[in-house]
């Protein structure tokens, strides 16, 4: 959608993005077959079907935000807001909007993935924390001592992307939880310069971290849904979606 609005051709899925989407599409196909055979009186299959559809849409929106942030960043040439023309300020504001939207979506998708895993594997994470995050679910795998193959893989992914995700997480927390965080940062920078100009952050570095965040989300979804699909195929989908045993 955003590519069309920006005059760009539609995206062709490739790489880890394509692999993540394909894994979730395979899950939808397995669920659809099961729904055709089973009345699903408890709505477990339907719920997982809807959640997985939602994750595919959310991943698509995250990628679009990353693309749009990169698109508008290319139009920013000045090193400070004070040196920008009015047109450039508008382009910078658009970059900031989609950049923020991107890193917020990264963690939103991870948390939704955590909800799927918690429900599917009956990890009972709510007993540890009522409003839990993906990372709480990840720790819960170890406490529950189940599905170690998946748990090890997800921990490896987390560790590979630890540095960029830590930076994105800090910015997400500041954006969501702290009042006027940008204003405070601007005031601090004003105190550091005699010219009174606020130097822009390293936009290219921030975009690179956001792209790594997208890659981390894709890799996590591919691993999670790949594991689910493998389990169901091996078991002939005989068991319910809840409580699959490794």
């Amino acid at each position: 959608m955003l590519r069309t609005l920006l005059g760009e051709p539609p995206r062709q899925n490739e790489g880890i993005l394509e692999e993540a989407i394909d894994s979730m599409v395979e899950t939808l196909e397995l669920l659809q077959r099961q729904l055709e055979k089973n009345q699903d009186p408890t709505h477990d299959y339907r719920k997982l079907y809807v959640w997985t559809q939602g994750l595919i849409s959310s991943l698509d929106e995250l990628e679009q935000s990353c693309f749009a942030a990169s698109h508008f960043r290319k139009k920013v040439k000045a090193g400070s807001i004070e040196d920008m023309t009015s047109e450039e300020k508008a382009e910078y504001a658009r970059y900031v909007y989609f950049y923020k939207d991107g890193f917020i979506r990264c963690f939103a998708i991870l948390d939704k993935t955590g909800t799927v895993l918690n429900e599917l594997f009956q990890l009972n994470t709510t007993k540890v924390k009522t409003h839990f995050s993906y990372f709480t679910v990840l720790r819960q795998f170890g406490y529950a001592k189940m599905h170690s193959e998946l748990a090890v893989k997800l921990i490896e992914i987390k560790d590979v992307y630890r540095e960029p995700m830590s930076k994105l997480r800090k910015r997400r927390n500041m954006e969501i939880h702290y009042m006027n965080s940008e204003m405070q940062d601007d005031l601090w920078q004003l105190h550091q310069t005699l010219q009174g100009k606020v130097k822009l952050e390293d936009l290219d570095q921030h975009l690179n971290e956001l792209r790594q965040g997208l890659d981390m989300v894709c890799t996590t979804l591919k691993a999670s849904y790949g594991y689910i699909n493998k389990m169901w195929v091996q078991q002939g989908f005989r068991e319910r979606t809840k409580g699959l045993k490794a």
Side-chain angles (χ1 to χ4, degrees), residues 5-243:
L5 292 174
L6 297 173
E8 299 286 344
R11 181 187 69 224
Q12 298 295 319
N13 293 338
E14 59 183 9
I16 189 61
L17 175 68
E18 180 180 26
E19 292 170 6
I21 292 174
D22 285 349
S23 293
M24 290 187 282
V25 169
E26 182 180 349
T27 301
L28 292 179
E29 292 171 350
L30 289 169
L31 284 166
Q32 185 61 45
R33 283 182 229 153
Q34 193 66 17
L35 284 167
E36 291 170 358
K37 297 176 183 177
N38 190 308
Q39 297 271 327
D40 189 27
T42 59
H43 299 287
D44 291 332
Y45 301 143
R46 286 182 178 84
K47 180 165 64 175
L48 185 56
Y49 191 95
V50 171
W51 283 355
T52 302
Q53 281 184 318
L55 277 169
I56 293 174
S57 296
S58 295
L59 181 58
D60 172 60
E61 291 161 358
L62 168 58
E63 191 284 330
Q64 290 187 68
S65 290
C66 291
F67 173 82
S70 180
H71 173 89
F72 290 115
R73 184 270 171 273
K74 294 173 185 175
K75 300 176 183 293
V76 178
K77 306 298 182 184
S80 69
I81 294 178
E82 287 77 5
D83 292 332
M84 293 180 184
T85 63
S86 58
E87 292 80 5
E88 192 173 357
K89 286 179 181 178
E91 300 291 2
Y92 174 67
R94 295 183 185 104
Y95 153 78
V96 170
Y97 176 88
F98 285 109
Y99 170 68
K100 288 182 179 180
D101 187 72
F103 66 65
I104 290 171
R105 285 185 184 278
C106 278
F107 293 96
I109 293 175
L110 287 174
D111 289 346
K112 291 175 183 177
T113 304
T115 297
V116 170
L117 297 175
N118 180 66
E119 177 84 5
L120 188 59
F121 299 126
Q122 294 185 306
L123 297 174
N124 299 314
T125 310
T126 51
K127 292 182 178 179
V128 177
K129 192 174 182 181
T130 304
H131 302 290
F132 56 83
S133 71
Y134 166 76
F135 299 99
T136 308
V137 173
L138 205 54
R139 291 192 292 271
Q140 192 66 7
F141 272 111
Y143 301 146
K145 294 182 170 42
M146 58 171 59
H147 304 285
S148 57
E149 178 186 343
L150 175 60
V152 168
K153 181 62 178 175
L154 294 179
I155 291 170
E156 288 176 352
I157 294 169
K158 182 195 73 171
D159 289 342
V160 167
Y161 293 95
R162 181 183 299 277
E163 183 175 351
M165 292 305 291
S166 176
K167 293 178 180 178
L168 292 175
R169 192 177 192 177
K170 181 179 179 181
R171 291 176 199 135
R172 189 280 308 263
N173 289 343
M174 288 184 66
E175 179 65 23
I176 293 176
H177 299 299
Y178 294 97
M179 181 69 73
N180 296 329
S181 59
E182 288 178 318
M183 185 181 295
Q184 291 171 16
D185 183 61
D186 289 350
L187 287 171
W188 181 86
Q189 290 198 53
L190 282 170
H191 282 302
Q192 305 305 307
T193 173
L194 295 175
Q195 290 79 19
K197 292 182 180 180
V198 178
K199 184 179 179 182
L200 289 185
E201 67 274 21
D202 190 332
L203 305 187
D204 291 328
Q205 179 183 337
H206 283 195
L207 276 176
N208 181 53
E209 290 161 358
L210 182 57
R211 292 190 190 100
Q212 290 185 71
L214 171 61
D215 286 348
M216 189 273 188
V217 168
C218 289
T219 307
T220 298
L221 287 168
K222 177 190 172 184
S224 299
Y225 276 90
Y227 180 85
I228 292 168
N229 297 336
K230 177 183 173 183
M231 292 291 298
W232 285 349
V233 169
Q234 286 178 345
Q235 298 177 7
F237 216 119
R238 291 188 302 271
E239 297 193 32
R240 300 189 59 74
T241 55
K242 286 188 176 181

